[in-house]
Amino acid sequence: MKRMKKLFVFALFVAGICCPAFSQGSYSLAIHGGAGNVARESVSPEREVEYHEKLREALDAGEAILKIGGSSLDAVEAAVRILEDSPLFNAGRGAVFTAEGTNELDAAIMCGATLDAGAVAGITTLRNPISAARKVMENSPHVMLVGKGAEQFGYEQGLDVVDPSWFFDQRRWEQYREHLRRQQTRGALDVNDKMGTVGAVALDMHGNLAAATSTGGMMGKRYGRVGDVPVIGAGTYANNATCAVSATGHGEFFIRYVVAHEISAMMMYKGASLQNASEELINQTLREIGANGGVIAVDKDGNVSMPFNTTAMYRGYVKSDGTHSVGIFAD
Ligand code: ASP
């Protein structure tokens, strides 16, 4: 009997080494491709399929890492890189244009286990700003680098360098032209036509949380404007004690209300659930002041919450229990 027990313990030990899923916990991954007041009629069925497919591709890339016991940091970076490379979203390729008709990109990443964080702003020649943010976190003593200095650091780190025209997308250019026209006639574009961002949050099998966010910012931004995305605690935050959050919306409000950290703080100090904390921030605090946007969030137990106060948020999630979904509108 004793021998049997020993054998059983040994078998568990071997299974644990060979298959991380056997020895460790579960995983969750959520992603977003930006929030806005998008009219359902304005998205053709073909385009809707394109969005769904790209969101699924990003989820698959992240899940492939989490499934084999990989880290949440690797998973969120992989998912965000796919969304950055797609012209469908306002990040990387397909970013909105500044007032001067250029693309300037911001990104941040945070590790919930160590509270290490990295961020970049005003990027024009690094193909994947999220990877630049990760390098800042791991290979520099700093948290945030901007403009030419951030790019110089990226070159030294061997990141993919592109011509600024890499980020150009015709559809976005037409939106920009429309933005200029409206400025001259009946005022600026509606704020919702200027937004968008991509992001990912994950819990890995080792209980570690991570958040990553990347954006082109807001259409027509001027004077080196930087939004909430690379501001740690505003658009991006992760802490193993509570949750990981990636935001999208009118950045100035997300900075003022320190949205991502506020959700974590409500859980930490008030004992709020992820669902209640994130809903309160997005659908009460921000809604009351007319600030549009949403967040994706995952907590230390793998719960996922994706509230938004606009008509749409491109989003999706997958969990180790087999549940998954992707969606755009509120239904
Ligand atoms: N939060 C981004 C910014 O303000 C834009 C967005 O998510 O829509 O730069």
Side-chain angles (χ1 to χ4, degrees):
M1 194 61 196
K2 228 176 174 181
R3 208 180 129 86
M4 285 288 283
K5 204 171 159 193
K6 264 189 183 163
L7 260 174
F8 182 61
V9 171
F10 181 67
L12 274 181
F13 175 73
V14 172
I17 289 177
C18 301
C19 171
F22 200 80
S23 66
Q24 319 265 348
S26 49
Y27 63 79
S28 297
L29 170 69
I31 59 170
H32 71 81
N37 283 324
V38 182
R40 199 176 256 278
E41 318 77 70
S42 69
V43 184
S44 69
E46 298 76 33
R47 182 132 298 235
E48 197 166 336
V49 169
E50 276 183 68
Y51 278 118
H52 278 236
E53 283 176 356
K54 195 47 80 175
L55 290 168
R56 278 217 184 84
E57 187 186 331
L59 281 173
D60 287 349
E63 188 182 18
I65 292 166
L66 295 172
K67 219 182 214 162
I68 56 164
S71 76
S72 50
L73 275 173
D74 285 345
V76 294
E77 183 184 358
V80 166
R81 281 175 66 100
I82 285 175
L83 300 173
E84 283 180 336
D85 281 346
S86 165
L88 289 173
F89 307 101
N90 172 20
R93 196 166 216 183
V96 296
F97 290 89
T98 65
E100 293 77 31
T102 58
N103 304 113
E104 288 181 10
L105 315 169
D106 305 334
I109 194 162
M110 184 158 183
C111 170
T114 58
L115 302 190
D116 284 340
V120 292
I123 297 299
T124 59
T125 61
L126 297 175
R127 174 170 164 172
N128 294 105
I130 197 62
S131 296
R134 179 134 186 216
K135 292 284 188 200
V136 172
M137 177 174 84
E138 290 178 345
N139 297 346
S140 91
H142 309 298
V143 170
M144 192 191 288
L145 301 180
V146 304
K148 290 280 161 261
E151 300 204 310
Q152 181 60 37
F153 175 74
Y155 306 155
E156 289 169 15
Q157 292 292 315
L159 293 175
D160 281 353
V161 178
V162 290
D163 186 82
S165 62
W166 163 264
F167 301 111
F168 180 91
D169 174 62
Q170 190 61 38
R171 191 173 61 103
R172 272 304 171 221
W173 182 252
E174 277 149 28
Q175 274 178 3
Y176 167 66
R177 305 285 303 167
E178 176 64 15
H179 165 72
L180 295 182
R181 260 195 302 278
R182 289 212 199 173
Q183 266 188 333
Q184 279 161 6
T185 53
R186 50 194 176 91
L189 271 189
D190 184 86
V191 79
N192 293 296
D193 294 330
K194 307 202 271 181
M195 301 189 343
T197 283
V198 307
V201 289
L203 170 74
D204 65 28
M205 288 182 184
H206 314 284
N208 291 323
L209 289 163
T213 319
S214 182
T215 190
M218 289 181 75
M219 176 82 81
K221 62 185 183 179
R222 301 183 72 184
Y223 312 118
R225 180 264 189 191
V226 175
D228 59 313
V229 166
V231 178
I232 298 302
T236 308
Y237 191 72
N239 184 336
N240 272 9
T242 52
C243 60
V245 181
S246 170
T248 169
H250 196 156
E252 280 66 14
F253 292 99
F254 281 72
I255 295 174
R256 291 185 199 126
Y257 285 79
V258 205
V259 169
H261 182 266
E262 190 78 352
I263 292 170
S264 167
M266 283 172 72
M267 294 176 71
M268 180 98 91
Y269 304 123
K270 271 177 71 177
S273 68
L274 180 78
Q275 182 78 15
N276 289 347
S278 55
E279 280 287 347
E280 184 172 331
L281 250 291
I282 299 301
N283 278 316
Q284 285 181 37
T285 313
L286 293 185
R287 192 183 277 278
E288 275 163 20
I289 54 163
N292 291 335
V295 295
I296 51 164
V298 57
D299 71 13
K300 58 184 173 43
D301 301 316
N303 297 305
V304 169
S305 177
M306 305 192 288
F308 52 100
N309 61 27
T310 48
T311 60
M313 181 166 83
Y314 302 93
R315 64 198 187 278
Y317 78 89
V318 62
K319 290 189 191 184
S320 49
D321 64 8
T323 54
H324 61 94
S325 97
V326 293
I328 301 177
F329 297 100
D331 48 336

